[in-house]
Amino acid sequence: MSAAEKNDSAASTVADHPPSLAPPVPHITSAVVVPSYLDHFWDQGPEIAKARKIYINILFQRTCLIVGAIFGIFSIYWGALWQLPARSLRGWVVDFDGDQVGQFVTLALSTNTAFSHIIDWRIYPASDFPNGPDDVIAAVLDEKCWVAITINPGATKSLNDTLHGGGPETPTSNAISAYALEARNENAFRTLLRPTVTTLLDEITHGFAVKIMGDIVQNNTSIAAVSPNILTRPIYFTVQNLRPFDVPVATAVTFIGLIYLLILSFIVVNSGILARGVSGMERKLTTASLIRIRIASPILIYFVLSLAYTVLTRAFKLPFDRHFGRAGFVLFWMLSWFGMTAAGLALESMMTLLTIKYIQVFLILWIIGNVSVCLWPIDALPVLYNYGHAAPFYQISRGVRSIVFGTKNELGMNFGILAVWIGISCISLPVLQWYVRRGEVGRARAGQRKA
């Protein structure tokens, strides 16, 4: 081929295949571990043996951790139900009669030991209550005692008038009144208070009936002239439930629903970890910026979730407007928001220190420690459980009962204690995050120096 033909051939080749604008990229082969899906668990190959050892070690360590949690944490809840009640609940006895009936009932209650482990009866003079039984009712509503028994004014006179034909027959159940609040703690009312009071007063009124029959026989009073009702029940009693727990769905927001609030809070914490990890913010943001978003983001999310929780509760006809009107809805919403924030930020803070590996242990402790003081009255639990007065769940439960049932209004204290928990987390989280970030930065710099 001539030189001219060679040049023409080269030009044609360049025209048909223009040179690339970018330099050629060398082909790099990377070592990719391809799963074999061929090994059995008990195979003896070096790789599967190593994987099997790691697998067994992790499960063994986790099992030991769970066993420790069972004995160390579950015992908190078991202890709250063991030998219940561990302490007797306070009961008042006030004699407004001041005569035969009042003296008999007061003496019988003060000397009874069969139920003293359940209710500790304390005798108060009628002079402490200038407005009569109304003052006792106010004291019960103010939760100064768990139950109160009054021997009502004129009980003896009314009985004597009826026996001797000096007055109209009055209902014998007017003689004695017992007052309690079911909504303060429905479990205590149904299991401890009402059965104990009913049994005691049944025994006492029966004993008084035997005494009256003896007096009638001794005085040769004509039995035919006495009303049969007076002969069988010369005195009787009424149990007045001043604040009934009459909305069953309220159980969801005074006990079980509180666990759900904590679970939702934990989900938000995990969502934050996922969002920061996938977006890369965990390694991009300054420590101060990271702290701010870790506090602000969940608080805003809890604001929305607590609203959804409140709307759901209202949809199932929980009455918020009984005692606070329309403000009841907002109060319940804010109480749920504060409660969720108090519980969630504590998890957020501890997640920094324990990491995802061990946060489950704290979560179990956080749930059981809160639940153990909400099911039964703290006054009936061992002294150890007095910590419950500061527990977030207890404050939420107390606030809900006040909004829905009109029990003692301590909403200011309820919100205040929850705010203190939030404040503690807002202090501990920055400190822990700074400590962890300092360690991360130190390890990163050490790695750079080695490289």
Coordinates of all heavy atoms in Angstrom, one line a residue, residues 311-401:
V311 N -57.2 12.3 69.7 CA -58.4 12.3 68.7 C -58.9 10.8 68.7 O -60.2 10.6 68.7 CB -58.0 12.7 67.3 CG1 -59.1 12.4 66.3 CG2 -57.6 14.2 67.3
L312 N -58.1 9.8 68.7 CA -58.5 8.4 68.8 C -59.3 8.2 70.1 O -60.4 7.6 70.0 CB -57.3 7.5 68.7 CG -57.6 6.0 69.0 CD1 -58.4 5.4 67.8 CD2 -56.3 5.2 69.2
T313 N -58.8 8.7 71.2 CA -59.5 8.5 72.5 C -60.8 9.2 72.5 O -61.8 8.6 73.0 CB -58.6 9.0 73.6 OG1 -57.3 8.4 73.5 CG2 -59.2 8.7 75.0
R314 N -60.9 10.3 71.9 CA -62.2 11.1 71.9 C -63.1 10.3 70.9 O -64.4 10.3 71.2 CB -61.9 12.5 71.4 CG -63.2 13.3 71.4 CD -63.7 13.6 72.8 NE -65.0 14.2 72.8 CZ -66.2 13.6 72.8 NH1 -66.2 12.3 72.8 NH2 -67.3 14.3 72.9
A315 N -62.6 9.7 69.9 CA -63.5 9.0 68.9 C -64.2 7.9 69.6 O -65.3 7.5 69.2 CB -62.7 8.5 67.7
F316 N -63.6 7.3 70.7 CA -64.2 6.2 71.4 C -64.9 6.7 72.7 O -65.1 6.0 73.6 CB -63.2 5.2 71.8 CG -62.8 4.3 70.6 CD1 -61.8 4.6 69.8 CD2 -63.5 3.1 70.4 CE1 -61.4 3.8 68.7 CE2 -63.2 2.3 69.3 CZ -62.1 2.6 68.5
K317 N -65.4 8.0 72.6 CA -66.3 8.6 73.5 C -65.8 8.7 74.9 O -66.6 8.7 75.9 CB -67.6 7.8 73.5 CG -68.3 7.5 72.2 CD -68.6 8.8 71.5 CE -69.3 8.6 70.2 NZ -69.6 9.9 69.4
L318 N -64.5 8.9 75.1 CA -64.0 9.2 76.4 C -64.4 10.7 76.7 O -64.0 11.6 76.0 CB -62.5 9.1 76.6 CG -62.0 9.2 78.0 CD1 -62.4 8.1 78.9 CD2 -60.4 9.3 78.0
P319 N -65.2 11.0 77.7 CA -65.7 12.4 78.0 C -64.6 13.3 78.6 O -64.2 13.1 79.7 CB -66.8 12.2 79.0 CG -66.5 10.9 79.7 CD -65.7 10.0 78.7
F320 N -64.1 14.2 77.8 CA -63.1 15.2 78.3 C -63.8 16.4 78.9 O -63.1 17.2 79.5 CB -62.3 15.7 77.1 CG -61.4 14.6 76.5 CD1 -61.2 14.5 75.2 CD2 -60.8 13.6 77.3 CE1 -60.4 13.5 74.6 CE2 -60.0 12.6 76.8 CZ -59.8 12.6 75.4
D321 N -65.1 16.6 78.7 CA -65.7 17.9 79.0 C -66.5 17.8 80.3 O -67.3 18.8 80.6 CB -66.6 18.3 77.9 CG -67.6 17.3 77.5 OD1 -67.6 16.2 78.0 OD2 -68.5 17.5 76.6
R322 N -66.4 16.8 81.1 CA -67.2 16.7 82.3 C -66.9 17.8 83.3 O -67.8 18.3 84.0 CB -67.0 15.3 83.0 CG -67.7 14.2 82.3 CD -67.4 12.9 83.1 NE -68.3 11.8 82.7 CZ -68.3 10.6 83.2 NH1 -67.4 10.3 84.2 NH2 -69.1 9.6 82.8
H323 N -65.6 18.1 83.5 CA -65.2 18.9 84.6 C -64.4 20.2 84.2 O -64.3 21.1 84.9 CB -64.4 18.1 85.6 CG -65.1 16.9 86.2 ND1 -66.0 17.0 87.1 CD2 -65.0 15.6 85.8 CE1 -66.5 15.8 87.4 NE2 -65.9 14.9 86.6
F324 N -63.9 20.2 82.9 CA -63.2 21.3 82.4 C -63.8 21.9 81.1 O -63.1 22.7 80.5 CB -61.7 20.9 82.2 CG -61.0 20.6 83.5 CD1 -60.9 19.2 83.9 CD2 -60.4 21.5 84.3 CE1 -60.2 18.9 85.0 CE2 -59.7 21.2 85.4 CZ -59.6 19.9 85.8
G325 N -64.9 21.4 80.7 CA -65.5 21.9 79.5 C -64.7 21.5 78.3 O -64.0 20.5 78.2
R326 N -64.7 22.4 77.3 CA -63.9 22.2 76.1 C -62.4 22.2 76.4 O -61.7 21.6 75.6 CB -64.3 23.3 75.1 CG -65.7 23.2 74.6 CD -66.0 24.3 73.5 NE -67.3 24.2 73.0 CZ -67.8 25.0 72.1 NH1 -67.1 26.0 71.6 NH2 -69.1 24.8 71.6
A327 N -62.0 22.8 77.4 CA -60.6 22.8 77.7 C -60.1 21.4 78.1 O -58.9 21.1 78.0 CB -60.3 23.7 78.9
G328 N -61.0 20.5 78.4 CA -60.6 19.1 78.7 C -59.8 18.4 77.6 O -58.9 17.7 77.9
F329 N -60.3 18.6 76.4 CA -59.6 18.0 75.2 C -58.2 18.5 75.1 O -57.2 17.7 75.0 CB -60.4 18.4 73.9 CG -59.7 17.8 72.7 CD1 -60.1 16.5 72.2 CD2 -58.8 18.5 72.0 CE1 -59.6 16.0 71.1 CE2 -58.2 18.0 70.8 CZ -58.6 16.7 70.4
V330 N -58.0 19.8 75.3 CA -56.6 20.4 75.2 C -55.8 20.0 76.3 O -54.6 19.6 76.2 CB -56.7 21.9 75.1 CG1 -55.3 22.6 75.1 CG2 -57.5 22.4 73.9
L331 N -56.3 19.9 77.5 CA -55.6 19.4 78.7 C -55.1 18.0 78.5 O -54.0 17.7 78.8 CB -56.5 19.6 79.9 CG -56.7 21.0 80.5 CD1 -57.7 20.9 81.6 CD2 -55.4 21.6 81.0
F332 N -56.0 17.2 78.0 CA -55.6 15.8 77.8 C -54.5 15.7 76.7 O -53.6 14.9 76.8 CB -56.8 15.0 77.3 CG -56.6 13.5 77.2 CD1 -56.8 12.6 78.2 CD2 -56.1 13.0 76.0 CE1 -56.6 11.3 78.1 CE2 -55.9 11.6 75.8 CZ -56.1 10.8 76.9
W333 N -54.6 16.5 75.7 CA -53.6 16.5 74.6 C -52.3 16.9 75.1 O -51.3 16.3 74.9 CB -54.1 17.4 73.5 CG -53.2 17.6 72.3 CD1 -52.1 16.8 72.0 CD2 -53.2 18.7 71.4 NE1 -51.4 17.3 70.9 CE2 -52.1 18.5 70.5 CE3 -54.1 19.7 71.1 CZ2 -51.8 19.3 69.4 CZ3 -53.8 20.6 70.1 CH2 -52.7 20.4 69.2
M334 N -52.3 18.0 75.9 CA -51.0 18.5 76.4 C -50.4 17.6 77.4 O -49.2 17.4 77.5 CB -51.2 19.9 77.1 CG -51.6 21.0 76.1 SD -50.3 21.4 74.9 CE -50.9 20.5 73.4
L335 N -51.3 16.9 78.2 CA -50.8 15.9 79.2 C -50.1 14.8 78.5 O -49.1 14.3 78.9 CB -51.9 15.5 80.1 CG -51.5 14.6 81.3 CD1 -50.8 15.3 82.3 CD2 -52.8 14.0 81.9
S336 N -50.7 14.3 77.4 CA -50.2 13.2 76.6 C -48.9 13.6 75.9 O -47.9 12.8 75.9 CB -51.2 12.8 75.6 OG -52.4 12.3 76.1
W337 N -48.8 14.9 75.5 CA -47.6 15.4 74.8 C -46.5 15.5 75.8 O -45.4 15.0 75.6 CB -47.9 16.8 74.2 CG -46.7 17.4 73.5 CD1 -45.8 16.7 72.8 CD2 -46.4 18.7 73.4 NE1 -44.9 17.6 72.2 CE2 -45.2 18.9 72.6 CE3 -46.9 19.9 74.0 CZ2 -44.6 20.1 72.4 CZ3 -46.3 21.1 73.7 CH2 -45.2 21.2 72.9
F338 N -46.7 16.0 77.0 CA -45.7 16.1 78.0 C -45.3 14.7 78.4 O -44.1 14.5 78.6 CB -46.2 16.9 79.2 CG -46.0 18.4 79.1 CD1 -46.6 19.1 78.1 CD2 -45.2 19.0 80.1 CE1 -46.4 20.5 78.0 CE2 -45.0 20.4 80.0 CZ -45.6 21.2 79.0
G339 N -46.2 13.8 78.6 CA -45.9 12.5 79.0 C -45.0 11.7 78.0 O -44.0 11.1 78.3
M340 N -45.4 11.8 76.8 CA -44.7 11.2 75.7 C -43.3 11.7 75.6 O -42.3 11.0 75.3 CB -45.5 11.3 74.4 CG -44.9 10.4 73.2 SD -45.8 10.6 71.7 CE -47.3 9.6 72.1
T341 N -43.2 13.1 75.7 CA -41.9 13.7 75.6 C -41.0 13.3 76.8 O -39.8 13.1 76.6 CB -42.1 15.2 75.6 OG1 -42.9 15.6 74.5 CG2 -40.7 15.9 75.4
A342 N -41.6 13.3 78.0 CA -40.8 12.9 79.1 C -40.3 11.5 79.0 O -39.1 11.2 79.3 CB -41.6 13.0 80.4
A343 N -41.1 10.6 78.5 CA -40.7 9.2 78.4 C -39.7 9.0 77.2 O -38.8 8.3 77.3 CB -41.9 8.3 78.2
G344 N -40.0 9.7 76.1 CA -39.2 9.5 74.9 C -37.9 10.1 74.9 O -36.9 9.5 74.5
L345 N -37.7 11.3 75.5 CA -36.4 12.0 75.6 C -35.5 11.2 76.5 O -34.3 11.2 76.3 CB -36.6 13.4 76.1 CG -37.1 14.4 75.0 CD1 -37.1 15.8 75.5 CD2 -36.3 14.3 73.7
A346 N -36.1 10.6 77.6 CA -35.2 9.7 78.4 C -34.6 8.6 77.6 O -33.5 8.2 77.8 CB -36.1 9.2 79.6
L347 N -35.5 8.0 76.7 CA -34.9 6.9 75.8 C -33.9 7.5 74.9 O -32.9 6.8 74.6 CB -36.1 6.3 75.1 CG -37.0 5.4 75.9 CD1 -38.3 5.0 75.0 CD2 -36.3 4.1 76.3
E348 N -34.2 8.7 74.3 CA -33.3 9.3 73.4 C -31.9 9.5 74.1 O -30.8 9.3 73.5 CB -33.8 10.6 72.9 CG -33.1 11.3 71.8 CD -33.3 10.8 70.4 OE1 -34.5 10.5 70.1 OE2 -32.4 10.6 69.7
S349 N -32.0 10.0 75.3 CA -30.7 10.3 76.0 C -30.0 9.0 76.3 O -28.7 8.9 76.1 CB -31.1 11.0 77.3 OG -29.9 11.3 78.1
M350 N -30.7 7.9 76.8 CA -30.0 6.7 77.1 C -29.5 5.9 75.9 O -28.5 5.2 76.0 CB -30.9 5.8 78.0 CG -31.3 6.4 79.3 SD -29.8 6.8 80.3 CE -29.1 5.2 80.5
M351 N -30.2 6.2 74.8 CA -29.7 5.5 73.5 C -28.3 6.0 73.2 O -27.5 5.2 72.6 CB -30.7 5.9 72.4 CG -30.3 5.3 71.0 SD -30.6 3.5 70.9 CE -32.3 3.5 70.6
T352 N -28.0 7.2 73.5 CA -26.6 7.7 73.2 C -25.6 7.0 73.9 O -24.5 6.7 73.4 CB -26.6 9.2 73.6 OG1 -27.7 9.9 73.1 CG2 -25.3 9.9 73.2
L353 N -25.9 6.6 75.2 CA -24.9 5.9 76.0 C -24.9 4.4 75.8 O -23.9 3.8 75.6 CB -25.1 6.2 77.5 CG -24.2 5.7 78.5 CD1 -22.8 6.3 78.3 CD2 -24.6 5.9 79.9
L354 N -26.1 3.8 75.7 CA -26.2 2.4 75.6 C -26.2 1.8 74.2 O -25.9 0.6 74.0 CB -27.5 1.9 76.3 CG -27.7 2.3 77.8 CD1 -29.1 1.9 78.3 CD2 -26.6 1.6 78.6
T355 N -26.5 2.7 73.3 CA -26.6 2.3 71.8 C -27.7 1.3 71.6 O -28.3 0.8 72.6 CB -25.2 1.8 71.3 OG1 -25.0 0.5 71.8 CG2 -24.1 2.7 71.6
I356 N -27.9 1.0 70.4 CA -29.0 0.1 70.0 C -28.8 -1.3 70.6 O -29.7 -2.1 70.7 CB -29.1 0.0 68.5 CG1 -30.5 -0.6 68.1 CG2 -28.0 -0.8 67.9 CD1 -31.7 0.3 68.4
K357 N -27.5 -1.7 71.0 CA -27.2 -3.0 71.5 C -27.9 -3.3 72.8 O -28.3 -4.4 73.1 CB -25.7 -3.2 71.6 CG -25.0 -3.3 70.3 CD -23.5 -3.6 70.5 CE -22.7 -3.7 69.2 NZ -21.3 -4.0 69.5
Y358 N -27.9 -2.2 73.7 CA -28.3 -2.5 75.1 C -29.5 -1.6 75.5 O -29.9 -1.7 76.7 CB -27.1 -2.2 76.0 CG -26.0 -3.1 75.7 CD1 -24.8 -2.6 75.1 CD2 -26.0 -4.5 76.1 CE1 -23.7 -3.4 74.8 CE2 -24.9 -5.3 75.8 CZ -23.8 -4.7 75.2 OH -22.7 -5.5 74.9
I359 N -30.1 -0.8 74.6 CA -31.2 0.1 75.0 C -32.4 -0.7 75.4 O -33.2 -0.3 76.2 CB -31.5 1.0 73.8 CG1 -32.5 2.1 74.3 CG2 -32.1 0.3 72.7 CD1 -31.9 3.0 75.4
Q360 N -32.5 -2.0 74.9 CA -33.7 -2.8 75.3 C -33.7 -3.1 76.8 O -34.8 -3.1 77.3 CB -33.6 -4.2 74.6 CG -33.7 -4.1 73.0 CD -32.3 -3.9 72.4 OE1 -31.3 -3.6 73.0 NE2 -32.3 -4.2 71.1
V361 N -32.6 -3.2 77.4 CA -32.6 -3.4 78.9 C -33.2 -2.2 79.6 O -34.0 -2.3 80.5 CB -31.2 -3.7 79.4 CG1 -31.2 -3.8 80.9 CG2 -30.6 -4.9 78.7
F362 N -32.8 -1.0 79.2 CA -33.3 0.2 79.8 C -34.8 0.4 79.5 O -35.6 0.8 80.3 CB -32.6 1.5 79.3 CG -33.1 2.7 79.9 CD1 -32.9 3.1 81.2 CD2 -33.9 3.6 79.1 CE1 -33.4 4.3 81.7 CE2 -34.5 4.7 79.6 CZ -34.2 5.1 80.9
L363 N -35.2 0.0 78.2 CA -36.6 0.1 77.9 C -37.5 -0.8 78.8 O -38.5 -0.4 79.2 CB -36.8 -0.4 76.4 CG -38.2 -0.4 75.9 CD1 -38.8 1.0 75.9 CD2 -38.3 -1.0 74.5
I364 N -37.0 -2.0 79.1 CA -37.8 -2.9 80.0 C -37.9 -2.3 81.3 O -38.9 -2.3 82.0 CB -37.1 -4.3 80.0 CG1 -37.2 -5.0 78.7 CG2 -37.7 -5.2 81.1 CD1 -36.4 -6.3 78.6
L365 N -36.7 -1.8 81.8 CA -36.7 -1.1 83.1 C -37.7 0.1 83.2 O -38.4 0.3 84.1 CB -35.3 -0.7 83.5 CG -35.1 0.1 84.8 CD1 -35.6 -0.7 86.0 CD2 -33.7 0.6 85.0
W366 N -37.6 0.9 82.1 CA -38.4 2.1 82.0 C -39.9 1.7 82.0 O -40.7 2.4 82.7 CB -38.0 2.8 80.8 CG -38.4 4.3 80.6 CD1 -38.8 4.9 79.5 CD2 -38.3 5.3 81.6 NE1 -39.0 6.2 79.7 CE2 -38.7 6.5 81.0 CE3 -37.9 5.3 83.0 CZ2 -38.7 7.7 81.7 CZ3 -37.9 6.5 83.7 CH2 -38.3 7.7 83.0
I367 N -40.3 0.7 81.3 CA -41.7 0.3 81.3 C -42.2 -0.3 82.6 O -43.2 0.1 83.2 CB -41.9 -0.8 80.2 CG1 -41.8 -0.1 78.8 CG2 -43.3 -1.4 80.3 CD1 -41.9 -1.1 77.6
I368 N -41.4 -1.3 83.1 CA -41.8 -2.0 84.4 C -41.8 -1.0 85.5 O -42.7 -1.0 86.4 CB -41.0 -3.2 84.6 CG1 -41.3 -4.2 83.5 CG2 -41.2 -3.8 86.0 CD1 -40.6 -5.5 83.6
G369 N -40.8 -0.2 85.6 CA -40.7 0.8 86.7 C -41.9 1.7 86.7 O -42.3 2.1 87.8
N370 N -42.4 2.1 85.6 CA -43.5 3.0 85.5 C -44.9 2.2 85.8 O -45.7 2.7 86.5 CB -43.6 3.7 84.2 CG -42.7 4.9 84.1 OD1 -43.1 6.0 84.6 ND2 -41.5 4.8 83.6
V371 N -45.0 1.1 85.2 CA -46.2 0.3 85.2 C -46.5 -0.2 86.7 O -47.7 -0.2 87.1 CB -46.2 -0.9 84.3 CG1 -47.3 -1.9 84.6 CG2 -46.4 -0.4 82.8
S372 N -45.5 -0.5 87.4 CA -45.6 -1.1 88.7 C -46.3 -0.2 89.7 O -46.8 -0.7 90.7 CB -44.2 -1.5 89.3 OG -43.6 -2.5 88.4
V373 N -46.3 1.1 89.5 CA -46.9 2.1 90.4 C -48.2 2.6 90.0 O -48.7 3.6 90.6 CB -45.9 3.2 90.7 CG1 -44.7 2.7 91.5 CG2 -45.5 3.9 89.5
C374 N -48.7 2.1 88.9 CA -50.0 2.6 88.3 C -51.2 1.7 88.5 O -52.3 2.1 88.5 CB -49.9 2.9 86.8 SG -48.8 4.3 86.4
L375 N -50.9 0.4 88.8 CA -52.0 -0.6 88.9 C -52.7 -0.5 90.2 O -53.9 -0.6 90.3 CB -51.5 -2.0 88.6 CG -52.5 -3.1 88.5 CD1 -53.5 -2.8 87.4 CD2 -51.8 -4.4 88.3
W376 N -52.0 -0.4 91.3 CA -52.5 -0.3 92.7 C -52.0 0.9 93.4 O -51.1 1.6 93.0 CB -52.0 -1.6 93.5 CG -52.6 -2.8 92.9 CD1 -52.0 -3.7 92.1 CD2 -53.9 -3.4 93.2 NE1 -52.8 -4.7 91.8 CE2 -54.0 -4.6 92.5 CE3 -54.9 -3.0 94.1 CZ2 -55.1 -5.4 92.6 CZ3 -56.0 -3.8 94.1 CH2 -56.1 -5.0 93.4
P377 N -52.7 1.3 94.4 CA -52.3 2.6 95.1 C -50.9 2.4 95.7 O -50.5 1.4 96.2 CB -53.3 2.7 96.3 CG -54.5 1.8 95.9 CD -53.9 0.7 95.0
I378 N -50.1 3.5 95.5 CA -48.8 3.5 96.1 C -48.8 3.3 97.6 O -47.9 2.7 98.2 CB -48.0 4.8 95.6 CG1 -47.8 4.8 94.1 CG2 -46.7 4.9 96.3 CD1 -47.2 6.1 93.6
D379 N -49.8 3.8 98.2 CA -50.0 3.7 99.7 C -50.1 2.3 100.1 O -49.8 2.0 101.3 CB -51.2 4.5 100.1 CG -51.0 6.0 99.9 OD1 -49.9 6.4 99.7 OD2 -52.0 6.7 100.0
A380 N -50.5 1.4 99.2 CA -50.7 0.0 99.6 C -49.5 -0.9 99.2 O -49.4 -2.0 99.6 CB -51.9 -0.6 98.9
L381 N -48.5 -0.3 98.5 CA -47.3 -1.0 98.1 C -46.2 -0.8 99.2 O -46.2 0.1 100.0 CB -46.8 -0.5 96.8 CG -47.8 -0.5 95.6 CD1 -47.2 0.0 94.3 CD2 -48.3 -2.0 95.4
P382 N -45.2 -1.7 99.1 CA -44.0 -1.5 100.0 C -43.4 -0.1 99.8 O -43.6 0.6 98.8 CB -43.0 -2.5 99.6 CG -43.9 -3.6 99.0 CD -45.0 -2.9 98.3
V383 N -42.7 0.4 100.9 CA -42.2 1.8 100.9 C -41.3 2.0 99.7 O -41.2 3.1 99.2 CB -41.4 2.0 102.2 CG1 -40.8 3.4 102.3 CG2 -42.4 1.8 103.4
L384 N -40.6 1.0 99.2 CA -39.7 1.1 98.1 C -40.4 1.8 96.9 O -39.8 2.5 96.1 CB -39.2 -0.3 97.7 CG -38.4 -0.4 96.4 CD1 -37.1 0.3 96.5 CD2 -38.2 -1.9 96.0
Y385 N -41.7 1.5 96.8 CA -42.4 2.0 95.6 C -42.9 3.5 95.7 O -43.6 4.0 94.8 CB -43.6 1.1 95.3 CG -43.2 -0.3 94.8 CD1 -42.9 -1.2 95.8 CD2 -43.0 -0.6 93.5 CE1 -42.5 -2.5 95.4 CE2 -42.6 -1.8 93.1 CZ -42.3 -2.8 94.1 OH -41.9 -4.0 93.7
N386 N -42.4 4.2 96.7 CA -42.8 5.6 96.9 C -42.1 6.4 95.7 O -42.5 7.6 95.5 CB -42.3 6.1 98.2 CG -43.3 5.8 99.3 OD1 -44.4 5.4 99.1 ND2 -42.9 5.9 100.6
Y387 N -41.1 5.8 95.1 CA -40.6 6.5 93.9 C -41.6 6.8 92.9 O -41.5 7.7 92.0 CB -39.4 5.7 93.3 CG -39.9 4.5 92.4 CD1 -40.3 4.7 91.1 CD2 -40.0 3.2 93.0 CE1 -40.8 3.6 90.4 CE2 -40.5 2.2 92.2 CZ -40.8 2.4 90.9 OH -41.3 1.3 90.2
G388 N -42.7 6.0 92.9 CA -43.8 6.2 91.9 C -44.4 7.6 91.9 O -45.0 8.0 90.9
H389 N -44.3 8.3 93.0 CA -44.9 9.7 93.0 C -44.2 10.6 92.0 O -44.8 11.6 91.7 CB -44.8 10.2 94.4 CG -45.7 9.6 95.4 ND1 -47.1 9.7 95.4 CD2 -45.4 8.8 96.5 CE1 -47.6 9.0 96.4 NE2 -46.7 8.4 97.0
A390 N -43.0 10.2 91.6 CA -42.3 11.0 90.6 C -42.3 10.3 89.2 O -41.7 10.9 88.3 CB -40.9 11.3 91.1
A391 N -42.9 9.2 89.1 CA -42.8 8.4 87.8 C -43.7 9.1 86.8 O -44.8 9.5 87.1 CB -43.3 7.0 88.0
P392 N -43.3 9.2 85.5 CA -44.1 9.8 84.5 C -45.5 9.2 84.3 O -46.5 9.9 84.2 CB -43.3 9.7 83.2 CG -41.9 9.6 83.7 CD -42.0 8.9 85.0
F393 N -45.5 7.8 84.3 CA -46.8 7.2 84.1 C -47.8 7.5 85.2 O -49.0 7.8 84.9 CB -46.6 5.6 84.1 CG -46.2 5.1 82.8 CD1 -45.6 5.9 81.8 CD2 -46.4 3.7 82.5 CE1 -45.2 5.4 80.6 CE2 -46.0 3.2 81.2 CZ -45.4 4.0 80.3
Y394 N -47.3 7.6 86.4 CA -48.2 7.9 87.5 C -48.8 9.3 87.4 O -50.0 9.5 87.6 CB -47.4 7.8 88.8 CG -48.3 8.1 90.1 CD1 -49.2 7.1 90.6 CD2 -48.1 9.3 90.8 CE1 -49.9 7.4 91.7 CE2 -48.9 9.5 91.9 CZ -49.8 8.6 92.4 OH -50.5 8.8 93.5
Q395 N -48.0 10.2 86.9 CA -48.5 11.6 86.8 C -49.5 11.7 85.6 O -50.5 12.4 85.8 CB -47.3 12.5 86.5 CG -46.3 12.6 87.6 CD -46.9 13.0 88.9 OE1 -47.8 13.9 89.0 NE2 -46.5 12.4 90.0
I396 N -49.3 11.0 84.6 CA -50.2 11.0 83.5 C -51.6 10.4 83.9 O -52.6 10.9 83.7 CB -49.7 10.2 82.2 CG1 -48.4 10.8 81.7 CG2 -50.7 10.2 81.1 CD1 -47.7 10.0 80.7
S397 N -51.5 9.2 84.6 CA -52.7 8.6 85.1 C -53.5 9.5 86.0 O -54.7 9.6 85.9 CB -52.3 7.3 85.8 OG -53.5 6.6 86.3
R398 N -52.8 10.1 86.9 CA -53.4 11.0 87.9 C -54.1 12.2 87.1 O -55.2 12.6 87.5 CB -52.4 11.6 88.9 CG -51.9 10.5 89.8 CD -52.8 10.3 91.0 NE -52.9 11.5 91.8 CZ -53.8 11.6 92.8 NH1 -54.7 10.6 93.0 NH2 -53.9 12.7 93.5
G399 N -53.4 12.7 86.2 CA -54.0 13.8 85.4 C -55.2 13.4 84.6 O -56.2 14.2 84.6
V400 N -55.2 12.3 84.0 CA -56.3 11.8 83.2 C -57.5 11.6 84.1 O -58.6 11.9 83.8 CB -55.9 10.5 82.5 CG1 -57.2 9.8 81.9 CG2 -54.9 10.7 81.4
R401 N -57.3 11.0 85.3 CA -58.4 10.8 86.2 C -59.0 12.1 86.6 O -60.3 12.2 86.8 CB -57.9 10.0 87.4 CG -57.5 8.6 87.1 CD -56.9 7.9 88.3 NE -56.3 6.6 87.9 CZ -57.0 5.5 87.8 NH1 -58.2 5.4 88.2 NH2 -56.4 4.3 87.5

